[in-house]
Amino acid sequence: MRVNELEPQNRERLRRELTLVAKGWWGRAWRMKVLLAGYATKVRKTGVRTDADAEGMTLAWHRLHEAIYYLNLIKQALIGL
């Protein structure tokens, strides 16, 4: 079934659900941004970057970009409604 074939109440329900999902991904993106900032501050203050720091930063970076990817998909879906 296509979006334009949905009844108006179902279209509004889909919009609300997509908005809730987007809020979850936005929260994840925000947490990863804060985590990356914490790593950067620690490395800047101590002048030492351990392997664990590098691994954590890489993981946070990938999760941030994953969240951005899904937020863009949701945005396109909402525009289509």
Side-chain angles (χ1 to χ4, degrees):
M1 178 177 279
R2 296 177 186 261
V3 173
N4 58 0
E5 296 173 354
L6 289 174
E7 296 176 17
Q9 68 267 20
N10 289 339
R11 206 181 270 187
E12 185 57 36
R13 181 176 165 208
L14 180 59
R15 178 176 285 131
R16 281 194 313 268
E17 288 178 11
L18 282 173
T19 303
L20 287 174
V21 171
K23 286 180 182 180
W25 280 108
W26 177 255
R28 183 174 187 165
W30 181 260
R31 287 189 305 275
M32 293 304 114
K33 178 187 165 287
V34 169
L35 186 61
L36 281 169
Y39 277 122
T41 301
K42 177 185 177 247
V43 170
R44 188 173 54 248
K45 284 183 177 180
T46 62
V48 177
R49 187 175 85 177
T50 64
D51 288 341
D53 292 337
E55 188 175 320
M57 291 171 83
T58 302
L59 184 60
W61 183 259
H62 287 294
R63 285 183 178 171
L64 174 62
H65 282 274
E66 177 188 36
I68 291 169
Y69 172 78
Y70 284 114
L71 283 168
N72 282 326
L73 286 178
I74 293 166
K75 179 178 81 172
Q76 291 302 316
L78 286 170
I79 288 171
L81 289 176

